[in-house]
Amino acid sequence: MTNLLSAYFSRLWKDKFFWLAMLFMAGLGVFLTLNQYNSQQLLQRRDLAETASFALEDYCFSFQWVIGGVAALTSSLFLGREYQDGTLRNKLIAGHSRTAVYLAGLGVNIFSSLLLCASCFLFSCAIGIPTMGGFEAPAKTILLLCLGNLLAVVAYCSLFTLIEMLSSSQTSSIILTMLVFLGMLALSVFLIGRLTVFQTMVNLLPTGQAFSLAGGGDEFLPWLPLYSAGLIALTTLIGILGFRKKDIV
């Protein structure tokens, strides 16, 4: 599996779309942080300074709003080439197990998606800390936010990898992953309006978690990593079992 990961990472560094996505996420971090700063300045000019304080945790995780869509597109283009170029079939012929191939694909998706998040996070901090200050929440809350964001991204990746490894077409992978992301987002928005009944479903969906994680957390923050871990385990198990039975041509 080490060789599989090494081959994936070698190709990732040469992937132009991945670097364009990194640039986009960096620009997003800059844009959202400057927008937050301008909002703060506007409130201060209107003598509302007491409501104009923004802690770093309130905006540095803003990548959650878009990472699902960006990761869906980036990972589909990357793994979709495995079928298109016949690379996937060659790996199986070379003796690699289907489980190892699947987990390597999941691993590179997680790694690339976390790098995309880091690009947005670091540029957001680079601008936000000098202008608005650092974290204000307790250390325990910050750790839970970091863990929650990490596992929410991994949950996206596990779901997208399931689709990409069971779809033999790059185009189909792109369409299906984007539809799943947009569908989850629409469902989360709908359910949030009915939280007393559907809070568990909101917490289970990565798109639902984004409303908490991107804004610095809420009372459900300690439970979000558990929901993500359950979704990761379920989708990875289904994906491995399905990939073992899939005909590779």
Side-chain angles (χ1 to χ4, degrees):
M1 187 167 165
T2 301
N3 291 336
L4 289 172
L5 286 172
S6 178
Y8 273 135
F9 292 150
S10 178
R11 185 158 71 84
L12 181 66
W13 304 135
K14 302 174 185 178
D15 191 288
K16 294 181 180 179
F17 188 84
F18 168 72
W19 290 109
L20 286 174
M22 287 283 285
L23 183 62
F24 168 78
M25 294 298 288
L28 180 70
V30 171
F31 171 77
L32 292 178
T33 304
L34 289 177
N35 185 63
Q36 194 82 302
Y37 177 72
N38 290 333
S39 297
Q40 182 190 51
Q41 295 302 304
L42 179 61
L43 289 174
Q44 288 176 338
R45 287 196 295 271
R46 293 179 177 178
D47 296 326
L48 296 173
E50 67 275 10
T51 64
S53 177
F54 293 103
L56 184 60
E57 63 269 18
D58 292 337
Y59 60 87
C60 69
F61 300 112
S62 57
F63 55 77
Q64 279 292 348
W65 296 120
V66 299
I67 187 57
V70 176
L73 187 56
T74 303
S75 63
S76 293
L77 287 171
F78 186 84
L79 282 187
R81 285 184 57 188
E82 293 287 290
Y83 282 106
Q84 181 177 296
D85 298 344
T87 309
L88 185 61
R89 183 172 179 271
N90 292 337
K91 289 175 180 176
L92 296 176
I93 293 174
H96 297 290
S97 71
R98 291 192 178 220
T99 299
V101 171
Y102 186 96
L103 292 177
L106 174 61
V108 74
N109 275 353
I110 293 172
F111 182 76
S112 62
S113 297
L114 290 178
L115 284 181
L116 292 171
C117 294
S119 179
C120 182
F121 177 85
L122 292 174
F123 275 86
S124 181
C125 290
I127 293 177
I129 291 176
T131 56
M132 292 183 283
F135 291 115
E136 295 181 6
K140 180 181 178 180
T141 300
I142 300 303
L143 289 175
L144 282 173
L145 276 169
C146 291
L147 179 62
N149 276 280
L150 171 66
L151 290 181
V153 173
V154 175
Y156 275 127
C157 294
S158 65
L159 182 58
F160 297 153
T161 303
L162 166 63
I163 296 171
E164 292 152 5
M165 295 299 279
L166 298 184
S167 174
S168 301
S169 166
Q170 185 182 59
T171 302
S172 296
S173 293
I174 294 171
I175 294 173
L176 287 173
T177 53
M178 289 302 296
L179 284 177
V180 167
F181 168 67
L182 293 174
M184 288 194 302
L185 181 60
L187 179 61
S188 296
V189 172
F190 171 78
L191 293 177
I192 281 175
R194 297 158 177 80
L195 286 183
T196 55
V197 180
F198 298 111
Q199 183 64 58
T200 298
M201 290 187 64
V202 172
N203 290 343
L204 181 62
L205 295 171
T207 45
Q209 293 186 20
F211 287 88
S212 170
L213 295 170
D218 55 25
E219 67 271 24
F220 299 103
L221 179 61
W223 296 98
L224 298 187
L226 298 178
Y227 284 106
S228 291
L231 182 60
I232 293 165
L234 178 63
T235 52
T236 302
L237 177 61
I238 293 173
I240 290 175
L241 293 176
F243 187 63
R244 283 180 176 178
K245 298 178 180 179
K246 180 176 176 60
D247 290 332
I248 307 296
V249 294

